[in-house]
Amino acid sequence: MTHIAKSQLTQAQLDAHWMAYTGNRQFKQDPRIIQSADGNYYTDADGRKIFDGLSGLWTCGLGHNVKRINEAVSKQIGQLDYSPAFQFGHEKSFQLAERVSQYMPAGLNRVFFTGSGSESVDTALKIARAYWRKKGQGTKTKFIGRAKGYHGAGISGFSVGGIPANRALYGQGLESYHLPHTQVAGNEFCQGMPEQGAHKAEELINLIALHDASNIAAVIVEPMSGSAGVIIPPVGYLNRLREICDQHDILLIFDEVITGFGRMGAKTGSEAFGVTPDAIVMAKQITNGAIPMGAVAFKQAIYDTFMEHGGPEYQLEIPHGYTYSAHPVACAAALAALDELEEQNLISQVKEMSHTYQDTVHQLASSDIVTDIRNYGFAAGLTLAPVDNEPGKRPFQVAMRMWEKGFYVRYGGDTIQMAPPFATTKAEMDSMINALAESMQDV
């Protein structure tokens, strides 16, 4: 209860908030309250510095309290706090769209703004269906996701997502089917991209044979599955998905909410893994988490199809969007975040330091309770052996012990996940990994 007193929250206030993706009952017995943030660290209600080992929620690769972003937000909110998202525009949305397109693979140069990653997924899937209807192929309505995939919290996102705990409670979603995940025996403790597992892409051929390409709108996958515990694509896997989609006239969508804007040591996961999809979903790092925002970049051919079949010029080419699409304050934050990313040369820093991070993380392979380690860029996931036949119990215990030691990491399913800020030093990496080794031993 001392945490409640120090944060000046009452029990009634704690009870009133139904928290997202949180064990509310456990949390409200012993709240973990964050009061401030600066650089690579949070400060909690007890005044302790906490190393941010997940960059917020994969969002704050630039660190916290970035002066350039703060100033851009402050200036923008004093100039234009909100602009109508429909039928009128403001300059920064067009400037940002061009900047974002410069981060995308060649050809993905038409950017639709949303308010989050979940909205971005919904946008990509809706536009995929609408695209085929505009092309006279209205039966192409089904989607194919992947086991262990995560695509946000909306109905469309949980439908194509493949994490059982995120699906089971909600019943029937959109008509969608799932590829197998790519964690195969023999790839344990692989460093970087596994050499085995590309054959898992062949299951797409079987799904197409069963449902027929004339009924399938798109395949959606994360280049790297983050929320399932950092599952890295095997060599050749994404290339094969691209080939099969091309052969059967099916759109390929990459969900890069986590992998976009530097986390992989490249502008996108698409660039890191050398495969270009038809659309890229993004959010999180686009504003460094300062203001909610998302977007989808589409190939120009998709955009052109809507323009060519849009009817009279004054009519909507597609009846879709959000009140906060291209919000002016979010656009200002995103432009500043991209400026900071570029001027600090942080993508190159991640690429250069990724081998150091890899070596540091894999020191944990000697632990008796670690059954697998996966990594790429500044992302790493550890699978922990279950205790008491409860796969999620030990990761929770370890993460809570890490919090006590002054480190924030993510626990999910049977995994611990780490994604430190882009300017993390070797000393900070060592400190986090040493604390994790101690925490696993403690529990």
Side-chain angles (χ1 to χ4, degrees):
M1 292 300 111
T2 57
H3 293 285
I4 300 176
K6 288 187 178 182
S7 69
Q8 299 182 346
L9 290 174
T10 67
Q11 190 64 53
Q13 289 169 333
L14 283 167
D15 291 343
H17 182 190
W18 191 348
M19 299 173 68
Y21 278 114
T22 299
N24 281 253
R25 293 163 298 173
Q26 186 279 329
F27 179 91
K28 291 169 185 179
Q29 294 174 28
D30 185 19
R32 299 174 291 279
I33 303 296
I34 295 170
Q35 296 281 33
S36 63
D38 188 69
N40 294 347
Y41 294 84
Y42 287 114
T43 300
D44 76 354
D46 295 333
R48 301 183 310 133
K49 287 183 68 176
I50 309 290
F51 180 73
D52 184 1
L54 195 71
S55 300
L57 271 173
W58 312 88
T59 52
C60 308
L62 307 181
H64 300 277
N65 195 23
V66 179
K67 183 178 179 181
R68 185 196 300 268
I69 300 175
N70 295 349
E71 291 176 347
V73 167
S74 178
K75 180 179 178 180
Q76 183 61 46
I77 205 167
Q79 176 182 333
L80 179 64
D81 58 345
Y82 179 77
S83 174
F86 310 154
Q87 308 291 7
F88 297 87
H90 61 91
E91 291 181 350
K92 283 188 171 58
S93 71
F94 302 97
Q95 295 166 356
L96 179 60
E98 183 185 34
R99 288 286 296 281
V100 168
S101 70
Q102 293 167 357
Y103 277 75
M104 298 297 109
L108 274 73
N109 57 1
R110 295 295 179 262
V111 180
F112 194 106
F113 289 111
T114 73
S116 68
S118 294
E119 289 182 0
S120 295
V121 167
D122 198 60
T123 294
L125 298 181
K126 282 180 70 176
I127 288 181
R129 275 188 171 184
Y131 168 75
W132 290 117
R133 290 180 71 85
K134 290 286 188 180
K135 300 276 284 185
Q137 300 180 61
T139 60
K140 291 171 76 69
T141 60
K142 298 179 181 181
F143 299 108
I144 295 175
R146 184 169 59 190
K148 297 196 175 185
Y150 181 75
H151 301 290
I155 287 182
S156 64
F158 94 73
S159 298
V160 295
I163 297 177
N166 292 345
R167 293 172 53 88
L169 186 62
Y170 303 110
Q172 183 64 43
L174 299 182
E175 190 169 11
S176 55
Y177 306 91
H178 293 77
L179 294 163
H181 62 75
T182 59
Q183 283 184 274
V184 300
N187 282 344
E188 295 84 2
F189 301 100
C190 177
Q191 299 185 5
M193 295 180 74
E195 293 293 333
Q196 304 178 78
H199 67 280
K200 291 289 187 177
E202 301 303 319
E203 181 60 25
L204 180 54
I205 295 176
N206 296 331
L207 288 173
I208 293 170
L210 180 62
H211 300 287
D212 198 79
S214 66
N215 297 312
I216 301 170
V219 172
I220 180 168
V221 296
E222 302 157 278
M224 177 205 78
S225 297
S227 296
V230 185
I231 303 174
I232 313 301
V235 174
Y237 172 81
L238 295 175
N239 308 71
R240 184 62 182 136
L241 289 184
R242 175 75 277 179
E243 290 173 357
I244 297 170
C245 286
D246 286 342
Q247 290 165 3
H248 296 274
D249 209 17
I250 296 170
L251 296 179
L252 178 61
I253 301 168
F254 279 0
D255 183 338
E256 298 223 32
V257 168
I258 285 176
T259 56
F261 304 103
R263 177 65 52 191
M264 300 288 93
K267 291 178 179 177
T268 60
S270 173
E271 179 183 75
F273 302 123
V275 178
T276 300
D278 299 296
I280 287 181
V281 171
M282 66 197 86
K284 294 188 184 290
Q285 189 59 54
I286 191 172
T287 65
N288 199 53
I291 301 287
M293 188 178 216
V296 188
F298 293 95
K299 283 187 173 178
Q300 184 168 344
I302 295 175
Y303 173 86
D304 288 345
T305 297
F306 287 93
M307 299 305 111
E308 292 164 3
H309 300 277
E313 288 188 356
Y314 66 87
Q315 287 190 349
L316 311 179
E317 291 90 11
I318 183 165
H320 176 68
Y322 305 94
T323 299
Y324 300 112
S325 288
H327 192 286
V329 182
C331 288
L335 287 165
L338 294 179
D339 286 343
E340 189 77 7
L341 188 67
E342 293 166 10
E343 291 190 17
Q344 299 300 323
N345 202 28
L346 289 172
I347 294 178
S348 294
Q349 285 189 45
V350 171
K351 186 175 183 178
E352 292 167 5
M353 288 292 288
S354 61
H355 291 292
T356 300
Y357 183 56
Q358 173 177 277
D359 293 343
T360 305
V361 170
H362 278 270
Q363 293 174 16
L364 297 169
S366 59
S367 171
D368 291 339
I369 67 171
V370 176
T371 62
D372 191 16
I373 298 175
R374 301 163 299 278
N375 71 279
Y376 199 96
F378 264 25
L382 285 70
T383 303
L384 305 186
V387 61
D388 300 332
N389 294 316
E390 298 180 40
K393 184 175 182 180
R394 180 170 271 151
F396 167 75
Q397 293 174 330
V398 170
M400 294 304 99
R401 191 75 182 103
M402 285 288 281
W403 179 259
E404 293 171 7
K405 291 177 180 291
F407 297 87
Y408 160 58
V409 296
R410 186 171 188 268
Y411 62 97
D414 60 355
T415 71
I416 291 289
Q417 302 158 26
M418 296 172 289
F422 298 159
T424 297
T425 66
K426 175 66 163 62
E428 289 172 325
M429 293 178 191
D430 288 339
S431 182
M432 178 171 65
I433 297 307
N434 290 338
L436 186 53
E438 292 173 3
S439 297
M440 291 190 295
Q441 186 172 357
D442 291 346
V443 303

